[in-house]
Amino acid sequence: SSLTCPHCLKQSNTFDPFLCISLPIPLRQTRSMCVTLVFSTKGQRYLRVGLAVPLFGSLSCLRAMVAEEGNISPDQVILSELYSTGFQRSFSDDDDLTAVADSDVVYAFQAPPLYSRGGSAPHSGYHHSLPSSPYTSTAGPDGQRLPPSGTLSSEYLNQGGSTKVLLLICSTAGSGQQAVRFGPPFLMREDRSISWDQLQQSILSKLYYLMLNGSQAQNAGVLFKIRVVGGSSSYSYLSPQDSRPLYHPAVDRALKFCGPGGPPHLKLVIEWEHKTKECLFGSIQEEVVKDAESVRNQQQQHLQQHSCTLDECFQLYTKEEQV
């Protein structure tokens, strides 16, 4: 063994004879994680990829790996949980990798650009993707009526210029824990000063290609509830009676809840009554997600028994330690 004084740099070498020695075995430093990539290219299908992520570290590492896999900037990547009941958490770079369990369903969305090639502001309701969605059997409970909103909109505190907000949207039949998600999630950028009717029409325009008969949705009044996800443990809904629903306090809380890494965004769950959903969309289910070859490769690689060489054990045993 060798010991060096950090002050005088004097080195002491000790040689101890031995007949046997116990060597440490290097442990695996990565684990397999599946992430579903969704790109902003029109017509791009959903693709689940397998990644070998470090056991420890921050979510910025996962964001960088996803960006490299999709050949996009890490600043465009939105990491969010998406289950059959809708959105759950969004992950920021401050979060730890241990916060993501193996069973968590993580989606990586590519945010649309802020400006078009001509340098002008983006078109309202920029559509995110048009994945294929088969019409197969599904069922969901009836939703409940929208509860009255007892809080005033923050529009009275925000009378200044208009601002854009990035919306991450999915649809469910029913509400709460009994909700059943259908159709693909999508991203769009909207002005916060728009009315409920304008917001509803913008959402319907993104879902029109999925409808059995889109004309039935025209001039039909309030067709769904809009639930805000994030910023509060309780359910918060936008009110159709609010002249500027995107200035609701729940929206402000959710936007402030977005941590560093990726663009600030607002997750919205569109809750349809079961009868309305069946009438407009039929029995459509969730989007079709294809598995890349890396999913099987990473799972098989991490299921195999970890092996190492005798030289690697000696390298770990003789590794320099800082006191």
Side-chain angles (χ1 to χ4, degrees):
S1 62
S2 177
L3 184 63
T4 303
C5 178
H7 300 288
C8 66
L9 301 181
K10 182 179 179 180
Q11 188 176 26
S12 173
N13 298 317
T14 303
F15 299 92
D16 298 318
F18 57 86
L19 295 177
C20 63
I21 185 173
S22 298
L23 297 178
I25 299 177
L27 300 177
R28 192 188 300 274
Q29 300 299 314
T30 62
R31 62 179 173 126
S32 175
M33 181 181 296
C34 293
V35 178
T36 301
L37 305 183
V38 188
F39 303 104
S40 60
T41 305
K42 186 176 181 180
Q44 174 69 46
R45 294 188 179 185
Y46 292 74
L47 182 65
R48 184 183 293 111
V49 297
L51 303 172
V53 300
L55 292 178
F56 306 100
S58 67
L59 258 296
S60 60
C61 176
L62 176 60
R63 192 184 308 277
M65 296 177 69
V66 169
E68 182 179 0
E69 188 79 18
N71 195 26
I72 60 176
S73 169
D75 295 334
Q76 289 182 274
V77 178
I78 297 176
L79 297 174
S80 179
E81 286 180 306
L82 182 59
Y83 296 93
S84 59
T85 56
F87 293 112
Q88 297 292 332
R89 297 176 295 174
S90 284
F91 299 104
S92 68
D93 288 351
D94 287 342
D95 295 326
D96 197 274
L97 278 172
T98 56
V100 184
D102 295 337
S103 58
D104 290 340
V105 182
V106 179
Y107 275 58
F109 295 89
Q110 180 188 3
L114 285 171
Y115 300 99
S116 61
R117 290 183 179 179
S120 60
H123 296 289
S124 176
Y126 181 88
H127 190 260
H128 188 67
S129 57
L130 295 175
S132 57
S133 298
Y135 282 79
T136 53
S137 177
T138 186
D142 292 338
Q144 299 177 356
R145 291 186 177 182
L146 179 66
S149 175
T151 57
L152 293 176
S153 169
S154 61
E155 63 168 314
Y156 301 105
L157 303 177
N158 296 274
Q159 297 289 350
S162 62
T163 57
K164 296 283 185 177
V165 60
L166 185 61
L167 305 179
L168 183 54
I169 299 175
C170 72
S171 298
T172 64
S175 60
Q177 295 301 319
Q178 288 72 41
V180 177
R181 190 167 67 86
F182 69 91
F186 58 92
L187 277 165
M188 66 182 192
R189 200 181 300 275
E190 285 293 347
D191 197 311
R192 292 191 68 178
S193 62
I194 63 173
S195 65
W196 173 276
D197 290 338
Q198 291 172 324
L199 179 59
Q200 177 172 277
Q201 288 301 318
S202 184
I203 293 173
L204 290 177
S205 68
K206 306 303 173 289
L207 300 174
Y208 186 82
Y209 75 103
L210 296 173
M211 294 183 183
L212 300 177
N213 187 358
S215 61
Q216 298 182 15
Q218 301 299 323
N219 302 320
V222 178
L223 291 172
F224 45 70
K225 300 182 295 181
I226 301 181
R227 177 164 59 89
V228 180
V229 180
S232 176
S233 58
S234 60
Y235 282 7
S236 299
Y237 290 87
L238 303 184
S239 173
Q241 286 74 41
D242 199 334
S243 60
R244 295 182 182 180
L246 292 181
Y247 274 124
H248 192 279
V251 175
D252 295 331
R253 290 194 299 267
L255 290 175
K256 291 179 181 178
F257 197 71
C258 293
H265 60 280
L266 176 66
K267 299 188 296 294
L268 299 178
V269 177
I270 310 302
E271 297 180 350
W272 300 76
E273 290 188 2
H274 182 65
K275 292 181 180 179
T276 305
K277 180 264 178 182
E278 291 293 329
C279 178
L280 293 178
F281 300 97
S283 57
I284 187 174
Q285 290 187 328
E286 298 178 10
E287 69 280 354
V288 174
V289 178
K290 290 188 175 182
D291 283 352
E293 188 67 22
S294 58
V295 173
R296 185 175 62 88
N297 292 341
Q298 290 295 338
Q299 290 177 346
Q300 290 182 348
Q301 179 179 347
H302 285 80
L303 284 176
Q304 294 176 353
Q305 186 175 1
H306 181 56
S307 60
C308 60
T309 64
L310 182 62
D311 182 60
E312 291 173 338
C313 295
F314 269 108
Q315 289 181 5
L316 180 62
Y317 181 73
T318 58
K319 183 179 179 181
E320 181 181 3
E321 294 184 2
Q322 297 290 336
V323 180

